[in-house]
């Protein structure tokens, strides 16, 4: 994998440590939507007016990374996280996040994620930022969601953050135009997911997209994803 130095550090294979503010100055706000019988959305609201916003799946996890952003030299960034399904069947989550399995289920979640949630953020927080200040983020299965949302809505999400994407959703034969900027990361101890990240990076580059692909020491899980998140935000929105 390549472009490692672009993501920070002289030893690109070493996982950055997830620095976190000792006392988080921002706050978290949770709303319950009617979708799927009651789906939670958790928002990290930075202490200063947001200059960027990241929409994400797997809200139970990513919304908690606001403290990492406060400890980093990045613009004030709001994190808007739609929680995953409460269904214990993992395939229900995958059908929501990947258009490859159940188009109707994916489309319903897409309307909720890219429509209902965005409208609520605009009305509740007064945040309506242009695509160049808006990203979509995901990890593992929701890494597929971030890629799908970015490709389907480049006018909304100018950047895609995808950590350890699954293989259910693969690059289509013909990629759309225009394409968002894409930051992919995978761990040295998760070769299956690293191959998926590389597959996407190669296809996107061949289509002319701006792509960063980084490999870090780590297995499939939160610590190196959380540490990479501020680097993704800095890459997309500056410092």
């Amino acid at each position: 994998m390549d472009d490692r130095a672009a993501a920070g550090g002289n030893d690109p294979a070493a996982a950055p440590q997830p620095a976190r503010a000792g006392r988080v100055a921002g706050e978290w706000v949770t709303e319950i939507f009617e979708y799927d019988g009651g789906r939670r959305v958790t928002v990290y609201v930075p202490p200063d007016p947001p200059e960027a916003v990241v929409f994400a799946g797997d809200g139970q996890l990513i919304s908690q990374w606001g403290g990492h952003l406060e400890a980093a030299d990045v613009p004030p960034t709001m994190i808007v996280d739609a929680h995953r399904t409460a269904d214990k069947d993992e395939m229900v989550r995958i059908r929501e996040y990947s258009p490859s399995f159940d188009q109707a289920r994916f489309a319903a979640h897409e309307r909720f994620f890219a429509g209902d949630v965005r409208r609520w953020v605009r009305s509740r927080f007064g945040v309506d930022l242009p695509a160049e200040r808006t990203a979509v983020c995901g990890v593992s299965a929701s890494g597929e969601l971030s890629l799908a949302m970015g490709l389907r809505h480049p006018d909304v999400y100018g950047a895609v953050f995808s950590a350890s994407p699954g293989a259910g959703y693969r690059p289509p034969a013909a990629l759309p135009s225009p394409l968002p900027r894409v930051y992919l990361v995978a761990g040295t101890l998760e070769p299956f997911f690293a191959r998926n990240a590389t597959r996407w990076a190669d296809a996107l580059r061949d289509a002319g997209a701006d792509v960063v692909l980084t490999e870090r020491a780590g297995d499939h899980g939160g610590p190196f994803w959380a540490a990479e998140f501020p680097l993704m935000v800095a890459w997309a929105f500056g410092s």
Side-chain angles (χ1 to χ4, degrees):
M1 306 176 79
D2 52 13
D3 290 338
R4 299 171 184 173
N10 295 323
D11 182 3
Q17 296 303 307
R20 186 181 178 94
R23 181 177 181 181
V24 179
E27 63 176 344
W28 284 270
V29 175
T30 296
E31 180 80 2
I32 300 177
F33 287 72
E34 293 182 1
Y35 170 74
D36 196 37
R39 186 66 63 90
R40 292 179 180 270
V41 173
T42 297
V43 179
Y44 161 75
V45 183
D48 297 315
E51 299 176 16
V53 59
V54 177
F55 290 86
D58 289 325
Q60 297 92 323
L61 176 66
I62 299 173
S63 61
Q64 302 307 307
W65 294 348
H68 302 316
L69 297 184
E70 291 183 19
D73 183 20
V74 298
T77 301
M78 176 179 285
I79 308 171
V80 181
D81 259 3
H83 288 219
R84 69 182 67 176
T85 175
D87 198 305
K88 294 181 179 179
D89 181 356
E90 179 65 9
M91 281 305 300
V92 174
R93 171 174 171 249
I94 290 173
R95 290 187 187 103
E96 284 191 342
Y97 287 176
S98 172
S100 305
F101 298 96
D102 184 335
Q103 292 185 4
R105 179 85 184 186
F106 175 84
H109 184 265
E110 181 180 27
R111 289 191 294 271
F112 161 68
F113 186 91
D116 297 345
V117 174
R118 284 182 54 239
R119 285 190 291 270
W120 174 73
V121 168
R122 187 185 305 123
S123 64
R124 171 66 173 79
F125 301 100
V127 174
D128 188 15
L129 294 168
E132 58 266 25
R133 307 300 295 179
T134 303
V136 58
C137 177
V139 299
S140 192
S142 64
E144 299 177 50
L145 173 68
S146 67
L147 289 161
M149 290 294 100
L151 266 60
R152 295 164 74 94
H153 303 280
D155 57 324
V156 174
Y157 312 108
V160 172
F161 307 153
S162 182
S164 309
Y169 177 49
R170 298 194 177 198
L175 288 168
S177 179
L179 288 165
R181 305 168 67 206
V182 180
Y183 190 126
L184 293 142
V185 64
T188 55
L189 302 178
E190 49 170 10
F192 171 80
F193 296 95
R195 287 193 296 272
N196 298 334
T198 300
R199 179 187 297 116
W200 270 103
D202 290 345
L204 288 162
R205 284 201 188 101
D206 288 347
D210 179 2
V211 180
V212 166
L213 174 62
T214 301
E215 186 177 38
R216 296 290 186 192
D219 204 345
H220 199 67
F224 89 87
W225 295 339
E228 200 75 21
F229 186 61
L231 303 180
M232 294 171 162
V233 171
W235 171 78
F237 307 128
S239 59

